[in-house]
Amino acid sequence: MRMSVSQVLSQPAVQCTLRLLLLLSVILVQSMEPQVLPQALTCLSSLLPLKCPDDIVLAALDFLASLGEIFLPPEIQVCGNDHHVVANYLGCESETCIKFFHQLI
């Protein structure tokens, strides 16, 4: 069962669950299956433009930082704002990743 973004943003309990899942994902990022990453980025890219609560934004940033530390080799990490390089390396749809990265900047 999938929830819409508006349902997530209107339910404090769901927001709390999402925040906790993001925080757990920071710890468990090394054991995540690769196909989960584009799904997580798509979810976050849908939420961020809608002014989600600060605690979710901070948890999302922690999650993204953990992805960078684990999955991106040092030579990719120094690419700075070259989102296409990062998107290609993660294997996610370039448009989805780029859109998400632009929301963070």
Coordinates of all heavy atoms in Angstrom, one line a residue:
M1 N 0.8 -1.2 0.0 CA 0.0 0.0 0.0 C 0.9 1.2 0.0 O 1.8 1.4 0.8 CB -0.9 0.0 1.2 CG -1.8 1.2 1.3 SD -2.9 0.9 2.7 CE -3.1 2.5 3.3
R2 N 0.6 2.1 -0.9 CA 1.4 3.4 -1.0 C 0.6 4.5 -0.5 O -0.6 4.6 -0.6 CB 1.8 3.7 -2.4 CG 2.8 2.7 -2.9 CD 3.2 3.0 -4.3 NE 4.1 2.0 -4.8 CZ 5.2 2.3 -5.5 NH1 5.5 3.5 -5.8 NH2 6.0 1.3 -5.9
M3 N 1.3 5.5 0.1 CA 0.6 6.7 0.6 C 1.0 7.8 -0.3 O 2.1 7.9 -0.8 CB 1.1 7.0 2.0 CG 0.7 5.9 3.0 SD 1.1 6.4 4.7 CE -0.2 7.6 5.0
S4 N 0.1 8.8 -0.4 CA 0.4 10.0 -1.2 C 1.3 10.9 -0.3 O 1.3 10.8 0.9 CB -0.8 10.7 -1.7 OG -1.5 11.3 -0.6
V5 N 1.9 11.9 -1.0 CA 2.7 12.8 -0.2 C 1.8 13.6 0.7 O 2.2 13.9 1.9 CB 3.4 13.8 -1.2 CG1 4.1 14.9 -0.5 CG2 4.4 13.0 -2.1
S6 N 0.6 14.0 0.3 CA -0.3 14.8 1.1 C -0.7 14.0 2.4 O -0.8 14.6 3.4 CB -1.5 15.3 0.4 OG -2.2 14.2 -0.1
Q7 N -0.8 12.7 2.2 CA -1.1 11.8 3.4 C 0.0 11.8 4.4 O -0.2 11.9 5.6 CB -1.5 10.4 2.9 CG -2.8 10.3 2.2 CD -3.1 8.9 1.7 OE1 -2.2 8.3 1.1 NE2 -4.2 8.4 2.0
V8 N 1.2 11.7 3.8 CA 2.4 11.7 4.7 C 2.5 13.0 5.5 O 2.7 13.0 6.7 CB 3.7 11.4 3.9 CG1 4.9 11.6 4.8 CG2 3.7 10.0 3.3
L9 N 2.3 14.1 4.8 CA 2.5 15.4 5.4 C 1.3 15.8 6.3 O 1.5 16.6 7.2 CB 2.6 16.5 4.3 CG 3.9 16.4 3.5 CD1 3.9 17.5 2.4 CD2 5.1 16.5 4.3
S10 N 0.2 15.1 6.2 CA -1.0 15.4 7.1 C -1.0 14.6 8.3 O -1.9 14.8 9.2 CB -2.3 15.4 6.3 OG -2.5 14.0 5.9
Q11 N -0.2 13.6 8.4 CA -0.3 12.6 9.5 C 1.0 12.7 10.3 O 2.1 12.1 9.9 CB -0.5 11.2 9.0 CG -1.8 11.0 8.2 CD -3.0 11.2 9.1 OE1 -3.0 10.8 10.2 NE2 -4.0 11.8 8.5
P12 N 1.0 13.3 11.5 CA 2.2 13.4 12.3 C 2.8 12.0 12.7 O 4.0 11.9 12.7 CB 1.7 14.1 13.6 CG 0.5 14.8 13.2 CD -0.1 14.0 12.1
A13 N 2.0 11.0 12.8 CA 2.6 9.7 13.2 C 3.3 9.1 12.0 O 4.4 8.5 12.1 CB 1.4 8.7 13.5
V14 N 2.9 9.3 10.8 CA 3.6 8.9 9.6 C 4.8 9.7 9.4 O 5.9 9.1 9.0 CB 2.7 9.0 8.3 CG1 3.4 8.6 7.1 CG2 1.4 8.1 8.5
Q15 N 4.8 11.0 9.7 CA 6.0 11.8 9.6 C 7.1 11.3 10.6 O 8.2 11.2 10.2 CB 5.7 13.2 9.9 CG 4.8 13.9 8.9 CD 4.4 15.3 9.3 OE1 5.1 15.9 10.1 NE2 3.4 15.8 8.7
C16 N 6.6 10.9 11.8 CA 7.6 10.4 12.8 C 8.2 9.1 12.3 O 9.4 8.9 12.4 CB 6.8 10.3 14.1 SG 7.9 9.7 15.4
T17 N 7.3 8.2 11.7 CA 7.8 7.0 11.2 C 8.8 7.2 10.1 O 9.9 6.5 10.0 CB 6.6 6.1 10.7 OG1 5.7 5.9 11.8 CG2 7.1 4.8 10.2
L18 N 8.5 8.1 9.2 CA 9.4 8.4 8.1 C 10.8 8.9 8.6 O 11.8 8.5 8.2 CB 8.8 9.4 7.1 CG 9.7 9.9 6.0 CD1 10.1 8.7 5.1 CD2 9.0 11.0 5.2
R19 N 10.7 9.8 9.6 CA 11.9 10.3 10.2 C 12.8 9.2 10.8 O 14.0 9.1 10.6 CB 11.6 11.4 11.2 CG 12.9 12.1 11.8 CD 12.5 13.1 12.8 NE 11.6 12.7 13.9 CZ 12.1 12.0 15.0 NH1 13.3 11.7 15.1 NH2 11.2 11.6 15.9
L20 N 12.1 8.3 11.5 CA 12.8 7.2 12.1 C 13.4 6.3 11.1 O 14.5 5.8 11.3 CB 11.9 6.5 13.1 CG 11.5 7.2 14.4 CD1 10.4 6.5 15.2 CD2 12.7 7.6 15.2
L21 N 12.7 6.0 10.0 CA 13.2 5.2 9.0 C 14.4 5.8 8.3 O 15.4 5.1 8.0 CB 12.1 4.9 7.9 CG 11.0 3.9 8.3 CD1 9.9 3.9 7.3 CD2 11.6 2.5 8.5
L22 N 14.4 7.1 8.1 CA 15.5 7.7 7.5 C 16.7 7.6 8.4 O 17.9 7.4 8.0 CB 15.2 9.2 7.2 CG 14.3 9.4 6.0 CD1 13.8 10.9 6.0 CD2 15.0 9.1 4.7
L23 N 16.5 7.9 9.7 CA 17.6 7.8 10.7 C 18.2 6.4 10.8 O 19.4 6.2 10.9 CB 17.1 8.3 12.1 CG 16.8 9.8 12.1 CD1 16.2 10.1 13.5 CD2 18.0 10.6 11.8
L24 N 17.3 5.4 10.8 CA 17.8 4.0 10.7 C 18.5 3.6 9.5 O 19.5 2.9 9.5 CB 16.6 3.0 10.9 CG 16.0 2.9 12.3 CD1 14.7 2.0 12.3 CD2 17.0 2.2 13.2
S25 N 18.1 4.2 8.4 CA 18.7 4.0 7.1 C 20.1 4.5 7.1 O 21.0 4.0 6.4 CB 17.9 4.6 6.0 OG 16.7 4.0 5.8
V26 N 20.4 5.6 7.8 CA 21.7 6.1 7.9 C 22.7 5.0 8.5 O 23.8 4.8 8.1 CB 21.7 7.4 8.8 CG1 23.2 7.8 9.2 CG2 21.0 8.5 8.1
I27 N 22.2 4.3 9.5 CA 22.9 3.3 10.2 C 23.1 2.1 9.3 O 24.1 1.4 9.3 CB 22.3 2.9 11.5 CG1 22.3 4.2 12.5 CG2 23.0 1.8 12.2 CD1 21.4 4.0 13.7
L28 N 22.0 1.7 8.6 CA 22.0 0.5 7.8 C 22.3 0.6 6.4 O 22.1 -0.3 5.6 CB 20.6 -0.2 8.0 CG 20.1 -0.5 9.4 CD1 18.7 -0.9 9.4 CD2 21.0 -1.5 10.0
V29 N 22.7 1.8 6.0 CA 22.9 2.1 4.5 C 23.8 1.1 3.8 O 23.6 0.8 2.7 CB 23.4 3.6 4.4 CG1 24.9 3.7 4.8 CG2 23.2 4.0 2.9
Q30 N 24.8 0.6 4.5 CA 25.7 -0.4 3.9 C 25.0 -1.7 3.5 O 25.4 -2.4 2.5 CB 26.9 -0.7 4.8 CG 27.8 0.4 5.0 CD 29.0 0.1 5.9 OE1 28.8 -0.7 6.9 NE2 30.1 0.7 5.7
S31 N 23.9 -2.0 4.2 CA 23.2 -3.3 3.8 C 22.0 -3.1 2.9 O 21.3 -4.0 2.7 CB 22.9 -4.0 5.1 OG 22.0 -3.2 5.9
M32 N 21.8 -1.9 2.5 CA 20.6 -1.6 1.6 C 20.8 -2.2 0.2 O 21.9 -2.2 -0.3 CB 20.4 -0.1 1.4 CG 19.8 0.6 2.6 SD 19.6 2.3 2.1 CE 18.1 2.6 3.0
E33 N 19.7 -2.7 -0.3 CA 19.8 -3.3 -1.7 C 19.8 -2.1 -2.6 O 19.2 -1.1 -2.4 CB 18.6 -4.1 -1.9 CG 18.6 -5.4 -1.1 CD 17.4 -6.3 -1.3 OE1 16.7 -6.1 -2.4 OE2 17.2 -7.2 -0.5
P34 N 20.6 -2.2 -3.7 CA 20.7 -1.1 -4.7 C 19.4 -0.5 -5.2 O 19.3 0.7 -5.4 CB 21.6 -1.6 -5.8 CG 22.3 -2.8 -5.2 CD 21.4 -3.3 -4.1
Q35 N 18.4 -1.3 -5.4 CA 17.2 -0.8 -6.0 C 16.4 0.0 -5.0 O 15.5 0.8 -5.4 CB 16.3 -2.0 -6.6 CG 15.8 -2.9 -5.5 CD 16.6 -4.1 -5.3 OE1 17.8 -4.1 -5.6 NE2 16.1 -5.1 -4.7
V36 N 16.8 0.0 -3.8 CA 16.1 0.8 -2.8 C 16.5 2.3 -2.9 O 15.7 3.2 -2.6 CB 16.3 0.3 -1.3 CG1 15.8 1.2 -0.3 CG2 15.8 -1.1 -1.2
L37 N 17.7 2.5 -3.3 CA 18.2 3.9 -3.4 C 17.4 4.8 -4.3 O 17.0 5.9 -3.8 CB 19.7 3.9 -3.8 CG 20.6 3.2 -2.8 CD1 22.0 3.2 -3.4 CD2 20.5 3.8 -1.4
P38 N 17.1 4.4 -5.5 CA 16.2 5.3 -6.4 C 14.8 5.5 -5.8 O 14.3 6.6 -5.9 CB 16.2 4.6 -7.7 CG 17.4 3.7 -7.7 CD 17.6 3.3 -6.3
Q39 N 14.3 4.5 -5.1 CA 13.0 4.6 -4.5 C 13.0 5.6 -3.4 O 12.1 6.5 -3.2 CB 12.5 3.3 -4.0 CG 12.2 2.3 -5.0 CD 11.9 0.9 -4.5 OE1 12.1 0.6 -3.3 NE2 11.5 0.0 -5.4
A40 N 14.1 5.6 -2.6 CA 14.2 6.5 -1.5 C 14.4 8.0 -2.0 O 13.8 8.9 -1.5 CB 15.4 6.1 -0.6
L41 N 15.2 8.1 -3.0 CA 15.4 9.4 -3.6 C 14.1 10.0 -4.2 O 13.8 11.2 -4.1 CB 16.5 9.4 -4.6 CG 17.9 9.2 -4.1 CD1 18.9 9.0 -5.3 CD2 18.3 10.3 -3.2
T42 N 13.4 9.1 -4.9 CA 12.1 9.6 -5.4 C 11.1 10.0 -4.3 O 10.4 11.0 -4.5 CB 11.5 8.4 -6.3 OG1 12.4 8.1 -7.3 CG2 10.1 8.8 -6.9
C43 N 11.1 9.2 -3.3 CA 10.2 9.6 -2.1 C 10.6 10.9 -1.6 O 9.7 11.8 -1.4 CB 10.3 8.5 -1.1 SG 9.5 8.9 0.5
L44 N 11.8 11.1 -1.3 CA 12.3 12.4 -0.8 C 12.1 13.6 -1.7 O 11.8 14.7 -1.3 CB 13.8 12.3 -0.3 CG 14.0 11.3 0.8 CD1 15.5 11.2 1.1 CD2 13.3 11.7 2.1
S45 N 12.3 13.3 -3.0 CA 12.2 14.4 -4.0 C 10.7 14.8 -4.1 O 10.4 16.0 -4.5 CB 12.7 14.0 -5.3 OG 12.0 13.1 -5.9
S46 N 9.8 14.0 -3.7 CA 8.4 14.3 -3.7 C 8.0 15.1 -2.5 O 7.1 16.0 -2.5 CB 7.5 13.1 -3.8 OG 7.7 12.4 -5.0
L47 N 8.6 14.8 -1.4 CA 8.3 15.5 -0.1 C 8.9 16.9 0.0 O 8.3 17.8 0.5 CB 8.8 14.6 1.0 CG 8.0 13.4 1.3 CD1 8.7 12.5 2.4 CD2 6.6 13.8 1.8
L48 N 10.2 17.0 -0.4 CA 10.9 18.3 -0.1 C 10.3 19.5 -0.7 O 10.2 20.6 0.0 CB 12.4 18.1 -0.5 CG 13.2 17.2 0.4 CD1 14.6 17.1 0.0 CD2 13.1 17.6 1.9
P49 N 9.8 19.5 -1.9 CA 9.2 20.7 -2.5 C 7.9 21.2 -1.7 O 7.5 22.3 -1.9 CB 8.9 20.4 -3.9 CG 9.6 19.1 -4.2 CD 9.9 18.4 -2.9
L50 N 7.3 20.3 -0.9 CA 6.1 20.6 -0.3 C 6.3 21.1 1.2 O 5.4 21.1 2.0 CB 5.1 19.4 -0.3 CG 4.8 19.0 -1.7 CD1 3.9 17.7 -1.6 CD2 4.1 20.1 -2.5
K51 N 7.4 21.6 1.4 CA 7.7 22.2 2.8 C 7.4 21.2 3.9 O 6.7 21.5 4.8 CB 6.8 23.5 3.0 CG 6.9 24.5 1.9 CD 8.2 25.2 1.9 CE 8.1 26.4 0.8 NZ 9.3 26.7 0.3
C52 N 8.1 20.1 3.8 CA 7.9 19.1 4.9 C 8.6 19.6 6.2 O 9.5 20.5 6.1 CB 8.4 17.8 4.5 SG 10.1 17.6 4.0
P53 N 8.3 19.1 7.3 CA 8.8 19.5 8.6 C 10.4 19.5 8.6 O 11.0 18.6 8.0 CB 8.2 18.6 9.6 CG 7.0 18.1 9.0 CD 7.3 18.0 7.5
D54 N 11.0 20.4 9.4 CA 12.4 20.5 9.4 C 13.1 19.2 9.9 O 14.1 18.8 9.4 CB 12.8 21.6 10.4 CG 12.5 23.0 9.8 OD1 12.3 23.1 8.6 OD2 12.5 23.9 10.6
D55 N 12.4 18.4 10.8 CA 13.1 17.2 11.3 C 13.2 16.2 10.2 O 14.1 15.4 10.1 CB 12.4 16.7 12.5 CG 10.9 16.3 12.3 OD1 10.3 16.9 11.4 OD2 10.3 15.6 13.1
I56 N 12.2 16.1 9.3 CA 12.3 15.2 8.1 C 13.4 15.7 7.2 O 14.2 14.9 6.7 CB 10.9 15.1 7.4 CG1 10.0 14.4 8.4 CG2 11.1 14.3 6.1 CD1 8.6 14.2 7.8
V57 N 13.5 17.0 6.9 CA 14.5 17.5 6.1 C 15.9 17.2 6.6 O 16.8 16.7 5.9 CB 14.4 19.0 5.9 CG1 15.6 19.6 5.1 CG2 13.1 19.4 5.1
L58 N 16.1 17.3 7.9 CA 17.4 17.0 8.5 C 17.7 15.5 8.5 O 18.8 15.2 8.2 CB 17.4 17.5 10.0 CG 17.4 19.0 10.1 CD1 17.2 19.4 11.6 CD2 18.6 19.7 9.5
A59 N 16.7 14.7 8.7 CA 16.9 13.3 8.6 C 17.2 12.9 7.1 O 18.1 12.0 6.9 CB 15.6 12.5 9.1
A60 N 16.6 13.5 6.2 CA 16.9 13.3 4.8 C 18.3 13.7 4.4 O 19.0 13.0 3.7 CB 15.9 14.0 3.9
L61 N 18.8 14.8 4.9 CA 20.1 15.2 4.7 C 21.1 14.3 5.3 O 22.2 14.0 4.7 CB 20.3 16.7 5.2 CG 19.6 17.7 4.5 CD1 19.7 19.1 5.2 CD2 20.1 17.8 3.0
D62 N 20.8 13.8 6.5 CA 21.7 12.8 7.1 C 21.8 11.5 6.3 O 22.8 10.9 6.1 CB 21.2 12.4 8.5 CG 21.5 13.5 9.6 OD1 22.4 14.4 9.3 OD2 20.9 13.5 10.6
F63 N 20.6 11.1 5.8 CA 20.6 9.9 4.9 C 21.4 10.1 3.7 O 22.2 9.3 3.3 CB 19.1 9.6 4.5 CG 18.9 8.6 3.5 CD1 19.3 7.2 3.8 CD2 18.5 8.9 2.2 CE1 19.1 6.2 2.8 CE2 18.3 7.9 1.3 CZ 18.6 6.6 1.6
L64 N 21.3 11.3 3.0 CA 22.0 11.6 1.8 C 23.5 11.6 2.1 O 24.3 11.2 1.3 CB 21.6 12.9 1.2 CG 20.2 12.8 0.5 CD1 19.8 14.2 0.1 CD2 20.2 11.8 -0.6
A65 N 23.9 12.2 3.2 CA 25.3 12.3 3.6 C 25.9 10.9 3.8 O 27.0 10.6 3.4 CB 25.5 13.1 4.9
S66 N 25.1 10.0 4.4 CA 25.5 8.6 4.6 C 25.7 7.9 3.2 O 26.6 7.1 3.1 CB 24.6 7.8 5.5 OG 23.3 7.6 4.8
L67 N 24.8 8.2 2.3 CA 25.0 7.6 0.9 C 26.3 8.1 0.3 O 27.0 7.3 -0.3 CB 23.9 8.0 0.0 CG 22.5 7.4 0.2 CD1 21.5 8.0 -0.7 CD2 22.6 5.9 0.1
G68 N 26.6 9.3 0.4 CA 27.8 9.9 -0.1 C 29.1 9.3 0.5 O 30.0 8.9 -0.2
E69 N 29.0 9.1 1.8 CA 30.2 8.5 2.5 C 30.4 7.0 2.1 O 31.6 6.6 2.0 CB 30.0 8.6 4.0 CG 30.1 10.1 4.5 CD 29.7 10.2 5.9 OE1 29.6 9.1 6.6 OE2 29.6 11.3 6.4
I70 N 29.4 6.3 1.9 CA 29.5 4.9 1.7 C 29.6 4.5 0.2 O 30.5 3.7 -0.2 CB 28.2 4.1 2.2 CG1 28.1 4.4 3.7 CG2 28.3 2.6 2.0 CD1 29.2 3.9 4.6
F71 N 28.8 5.1 -0.6 CA 28.7 4.6 -2.0 C 29.5 5.4 -3.0 O 29.7 5.0 -4.1 CB 27.2 4.6 -2.5 CG 26.4 3.6 -1.8 CD1 25.5 3.9 -0.8 CD2 26.6 2.2 -2.0 CE1 24.8 2.9 -0.2 CE2 25.9 1.2 -1.4 CZ 24.9 1.6 -0.4
L72 N 29.9 6.6 -2.7 CA 30.7 7.4 -3.6 C 32.2 7.4 -3.3 O 32.6 7.8 -2.2 CB 30.2 8.8 -3.6 CG 28.7 9.0 -4.0 CD1 28.3 10.5 -3.8 CD2 28.4 8.5 -5.3
P73 N 33.0 6.9 -4.2 CA 34.4 6.9 -4.0 C 34.9 8.4 -3.9 O 34.3 9.3 -4.3 CB 35.0 6.2 -5.2 CG 34.0 6.3 -6.2 CD 32.6 6.4 -5.5
P74 N 36.1 8.6 -3.2 CA 36.6 9.9 -3.0 C 36.7 10.7 -4.3 O 36.4 11.9 -4.3 CB 38.0 9.7 -2.4 CG 37.9 8.3 -1.8 CD 36.9 7.5 -2.6
E75 N 37.0 10.1 -5.4 CA 37.1 10.9 -6.7 C 35.8 11.4 -7.1 O 35.7 12.5 -7.8 CB 37.8 10.1 -7.8 CG 37.1 8.9 -8.2 CD 37.5 7.6 -7.4 OE1 38.1 7.7 -6.4 OE2 37.1 6.5 -7.9
I76 N 34.7 10.7 -6.8 CA 33.4 11.2 -7.2 C 32.9 12.3 -6.2 O 32.3 13.3 -6.5 CB 32.3 10.1 -7.2 CG1 32.7 9.0 -8.3 CG2 30.9 10.6 -7.4 CD1 32.6 9.6 -9.7
Q77 N 33.3 12.1 -4.9 CA 32.9 13.1 -3.9 C 33.4 14.5 -4.1 O 32.8 15.5 -3.8 CB 33.3 12.6 -2.5 CG 32.6 11.4 -2.0 CD 33.0 10.9 -0.7 OE1 33.6 11.7 0.1 NE2 32.9 9.6 -0.4
V78 N 34.5 14.6 -4.8 CA 35.1 15.9 -5.0 C 34.6 16.6 -6.3 O 35.0 17.6 -6.7 CB 36.7 15.9 -5.1 CG1 37.3 15.4 -3.8 CG2 37.1 15.0 -6.3
C79 N 33.6 15.9 -6.9 CA 33.0 16.5 -8.1 C 32.1 17.7 -7.8 O 31.6 18.4 -8.7 CB 32.1 15.4 -8.9 SG 33.1 14.2 -9.7
G80 N 31.9 17.9 -6.6 CA 31.1 19.1 -6.2 C 29.7 19.1 -6.7 O 28.9 18.2 -6.3
N81 N 29.3 20.0 -7.6 CA 28.0 20.1 -8.1 C 27.7 19.4 -9.4 O 26.7 19.6 -10.0 CB 27.6 21.6 -8.3 CG 27.5 22.3 -7.0 OD1 27.1 21.7 -6.0 ND2 27.8 23.6 -7.0
D82 N 28.6 18.5 -9.8 CA 28.3 17.7 -11.0 C 27.4 16.6 -10.7 O 27.8 15.4 -10.5 CB 29.6 17.2 -11.6 CG 29.4 16.7 -13.0 OD1 28.3 16.6 -13.4 OD2 30.5 16.4 -13.6
H83 N 26.1 16.9 -10.6 CA 25.0 15.9 -10.2 C 24.9 14.8 -11.2 O 24.5 13.7 -10.8 CB 23.7 16.6 -10.1 CG 23.8 17.8 -9.2 ND1 24.3 17.8 -7.9 CD2 23.4 19.1 -9.4 CE1 24.3 19.0 -7.4 NE2 23.7 19.8 -8.2
H84 N 25.2 15.0 -12.5 CA 25.1 13.9 -13.5 C 26.1 12.8 -13.1 O 25.8 11.6 -13.3 CB 25.4 14.5 -14.9 CG 24.3 15.4 -15.4 ND1 23.1 15.0 -15.8 CD2 24.3 16.8 -15.5 CE1 22.4 16.0 -16.1 NE2 23.1 17.1 -16.0
V85 N 27.3 13.1 -12.7 CA 28.3 12.1 -12.3 C 27.7 11.3 -11.2 O 27.8 10.1 -11.2 CB 29.6 12.8 -12.0 CG1 30.6 11.7 -11.5 CG2 30.2 13.5 -13.2
V86 N 27.2 12.0 -10.2 CA 26.7 11.3 -9.0 C 25.5 10.4 -9.4 O 25.4 9.3 -9.0 CB 26.3 12.3 -7.9 CG1 25.7 11.6 -6.7 CG2 27.6 13.1 -7.4
A87 N 24.6 11.0 -10.1 CA 23.4 10.2 -10.6 C 23.8 9.0 -11.3 O 23.2 7.9 -11.1 CB 22.5 11.1 -11.4
N88 N 24.7 9.1 -12.3 CA 25.1 7.9 -13.0 C 25.8 6.9 -12.2 O 25.6 5.7 -12.3 CB 26.1 8.4 -14.2 CG 25.4 9.1 -15.3 OD1 24.2 8.9 -15.5 ND2 26.1 9.9 -16.0
Y89 N 26.6 7.4 -11.2 CA 27.3 6.4 -10.3 C 26.3 5.7 -9.5 O 26.4 4.5 -9.2 CB 28.3 7.2 -9.4 CG 29.1 6.2 -8.6 CD1 30.2 5.5 -9.1 CD2 28.7 5.9 -7.3 CE1 30.9 4.6 -8.4 CE2 29.4 5.0 -6.5 CZ 30.5 4.3 -7.1 OH 31.2 3.4 -6.4
L90 N 25.2 6.4 -9.0 CA 24.2 5.7 -8.1 C 23.3 4.8 -9.0 O 22.6 3.9 -8.4 CB 23.3 6.7 -7.4 CG 24.0 7.5 -6.3 CD1 23.1 8.5 -5.7 CD2 24.4 6.5 -5.2
G91 N 23.3 5.0 -10.3 CA 22.5 4.1 -11.1 C 21.0 4.5 -11.1 O 20.1 3.7 -11.4
C92 N 20.7 5.7 -10.6 CA 19.3 6.1 -10.6 C 19.0 7.0 -11.8 O 19.9 7.5 -12.5 CB 18.9 6.9 -9.3 SG 19.8 8.4 -9.1
E93 N 17.7 7.2 -12.1 CA 17.3 8.0 -13.2 C 17.9 9.4 -13.0 O 17.7 10.0 -12.0 CB 15.8 8.1 -13.3 CG 15.2 6.8 -13.7 CD 13.7 7.0 -13.9 OE1 13.2 8.1 -14.1 OE2 13.0 6.0 -13.7
S94 N 18.6 9.9 -14.0 CA 19.3 11.1 -13.9 C 18.3 12.3 -13.5 O 18.6 13.1 -12.7 CB 20.0 11.4 -15.2 OG 21.1 12.3 -15.0
E95 N 17.2 12.3 -14.2 CA 16.2 13.4 -13.9 C 15.8 13.4 -12.4 O 15.7 14.5 -11.8 CB 15.0 13.3 -14.8 CG 15.1 14.1 -16.0 CD 13.8 14.0 -16.8 OE1 12.7 14.2 -16.2 OE2 13.8 13.6 -18.0
T96 N 15.5 12.2 -11.9 CA 15.0 12.2 -10.5 C 16.1 12.6 -9.5 O 15.9 13.4 -8.6 CB 14.6 10.7 -10.2 OG1 13.6 10.3 -11.1 CG2 14.2 10.6 -8.7
C97 N 17.3 12.1 -9.7 CA 18.4 12.6 -8.9 C 18.7 14.0 -9.0 O 18.9 14.7 -8.0 CB 19.7 11.7 -9.2 SG 19.6 10.0 -8.7
I98 N 18.8 14.5 -10.2 CA 19.1 15.9 -10.5 C 18.0 16.8 -9.8 O 18.4 17.8 -9.1 CB 19.2 16.3 -12.0 CG1 20.2 15.4 -12.7 CG2 19.4 17.7 -12.2 CD1 21.6 15.6 -12.2
K99 N 16.8 16.5 -10.0 CA 15.7 17.2 -9.3 C 15.9 17.3 -7.8 O 15.7 18.3 -7.2 CB 14.3 16.6 -9.7 CG 13.1 17.3 -9.2 CD 11.9 16.6 -9.6 CE 10.7 17.2 -8.9 NZ 9.4 16.5 -9.2
F100 N 16.2 16.1 -7.3 CA 16.4 16.0 -5.8 C 17.6 16.9 -5.4 O 17.5 17.6 -4.4 CB 16.5 14.6 -5.4 CG 16.6 14.4 -3.9 CD1 15.5 14.6 -3.1 CD2 17.8 14.1 -3.3 CE1 15.6 14.5 -1.8 CE2 17.9 14.0 -1.9 CZ 16.7 14.2 -1.1
F101 N 18.7 16.8 -6.1 CA 19.9 17.5 -5.7 C 19.6 19.0 -5.8 O 20.0 19.8 -4.9 CB 21.1 17.2 -6.6 CG 21.6 15.8 -6.4 CD1 21.9 15.0 -7.5 CD2 21.7 15.2 -5.2 CE1 22.4 13.7 -7.4 CE2 22.2 14.0 -5.0 CZ 22.5 13.2 -6.1
H102 N 18.8 19.5 -6.8 CA 18.5 20.9 -6.9 C 17.6 21.3 -5.7 O 17.7 22.5 -5.3 CB 17.8 21.2 -8.2 CG 18.8 21.2 -9.4 ND1 19.6 22.2 -9.6 CD2 19.0 20.3 -10.4 CE1 20.4 22.0 -10.6 NE2 20.0 20.8 -11.1
Q103 N 16.8 20.5 -5.2 CA 16.0 20.8 -4.0 C 16.8 21.1 -2.8 O 16.5 21.9 -1.9 CB 14.9 19.7 -3.7 CG 13.9 19.6 -4.8 CD 13.0 20.8 -4.9 OE1 12.7 21.4 -3.9 NE2 12.5 21.1 -6.1
L104 N 18.0 20.4 -2.7 CA 18.8 20.5 -1.6 C 19.7 21.7 -1.6 O 20.1 22.2 -0.6 CB 19.8 19.3 -1.5 CG 19.1 18.0 -1.2 CD1 20.0 16.8 -1.2 CD2 18.4 18.0 0.2
I105 N 20.0 22.2 -2.8 CA 20.9 23.4 -3.0 C 20.1 24.7 -2.6 O 19.0 24.9 -2.9 CB 21.4 23.4 -4.4 CG1 22.3 22.2 -4.6 CG2 22.3 24.7 -4.6 CD1 22.8 22.0 -6.0

